[in-house]
Every structure is written in C-alpha cells, then in structure tokens.
Amino acid sequence: MQIDNIITEALVCVLLCICSIFDIRKKELPLLILITGFLTALGIEMWHICKGLETVSGIAESLLPGMFFLLLGFCTREKVGYGDGLMLIILGLFLGFFRCFLILCVGLIFSSVFALILLIFRKAGRNSRLPLIPFLTIGMGVSFFV
C-alpha cells in the first residue's frame, strides 16, 4: 500500500470518528468539519488529476452515492439527513465510487440489523431516528478487510 493511500485512509477514519461522535450526541454534523473534509478531498483529487492518476469522469462517478442521498433527503423532507449525503460525497472523493458504495452498503446493513434489534426489544418506535455516520464508520472498518 502506498504512503498516500495510508494517509488518505487515516484521514477518512479520523473524519468518520469525529463525525460519528457529533452524529450520536447532537444528531447533526458540524458544517466546518464537513467543509474542511470536502476541501481536503477536492484538493487531493485535483492533485491526482494533475498527476494523471484520476479523470474528471472518475471523480464525477465517485460523487453519485452522496448525490443520491442528498436527493433522497430532499424527497423525504430530511428523513435522511443532508449531512449523510455530504459525508458520502466526501467519502466518494477520498476513496472512489466502489469503495464508497461498499461502505454505504455495509453501513446500511448494520444499521438495519441494529434498527431491527431495537424494534424487537421495543427500545425504539417506528418514527425513531438513527444516526448513519457511526454505521458508515463500521463500514469503513469492514472495507479494510475486503
């Protein structure tokens, strides 16, 4: 594994852990952290374009999961938070489409199992809200091993 990949993975893990704490405690993500993560990811991608390691179409493709979640948040009147979509855009920029999609799928599976357990034990109702970012963090951990 190259050193820039290791640094990128570490940045993403730190970003996800910080955002997980905010998402669990306050049910919202700090805009400053999201903007910082986005600008950092964008800068890295611009560097990769200059070096010829990435194409503009590849970057546009990596934004698709996050854009879908932003659209989903708009259509459901924020039942899915905009912060989740923004975090997926940042993950897509840092890690690419397939890795972002893997993290999203694993996160959604874990959150579904957790929600089912809460429903079975009557700890949550039908309209309860779960933070998604901690499950994306779990998805990032699982993606290390896949």
Side-chain angles (χ1 to χ4, degrees):
M1 193 177 238
Q2 293 179 342
I3 191 74
D4 59 337
N5 288 344
I6 294 170
I7 292 171
T8 302
E9 302 266 334
L11 280 172
V12 170
C13 285
V14 168
L15 180 68
L16 280 171
C17 288
I18 291 170
C19 288
S20 292
I21 292 168
F22 278 99
D23 203 15
I24 290 170
R25 289 187 178 178
K26 296 186 177 185
K27 304 283 191 257
E28 62 183 32
L29 301 176
L31 190 58
L32 181 63
I33 292 175
L34 290 176
I35 290 172
T36 304
F38 177 76
L39 292 177
T40 304
L42 197 60
I44 290 171
E45 288 303 313
M46 292 301 149
W47 177 254
H48 286 165
I49 287 174
C50 291
K51 287 174 57 176
L53 300 174
E54 187 69 64
T55 63
V56 175
S57 63
I59 293 172
E61 181 182 83
S62 70
L63 299 175
L64 290 176
M67 296 301 282
F68 173 74
F69 255 64
L70 285 177
L71 180 65
L72 191 63
F74 178 75
C75 291
T76 62
R77 295 189 185 109
E78 268 191 86
K79 295 285 184 187
V80 175
Y82 291 132
D84 300 329
L86 294 173
M87 181 56 71
L88 284 170
I89 286 175
I90 294 168
L91 287 177
L93 284 173
F94 270 122
L95 304 172
F97 173 78
F98 293 108
R99 186 94 183 268
C100 179
F101 191 69
L102 172 69
I103 291 168
L104 175 61
C105 289
V106 171
L108 288 175
I109 289 169
F110 273 91
S111 68
S112 298
V113 169
F114 187 72
L116 186 62
I117 290 169
L118 289 177
L119 286 172
I120 288 172
F121 290 107
R122 300 195 189 276
K123 298 292 182 184
R126 184 174 164 223
N127 294 322
S128 297
R129 298 185 75 170
L130 287 177
L132 181 64
I133 305 299
F135 296 106
L136 293 179
T137 307
I138 293 170
M140 180 72 184
V142 170
S143 77
F144 280 137
F145 301 106
V146 175

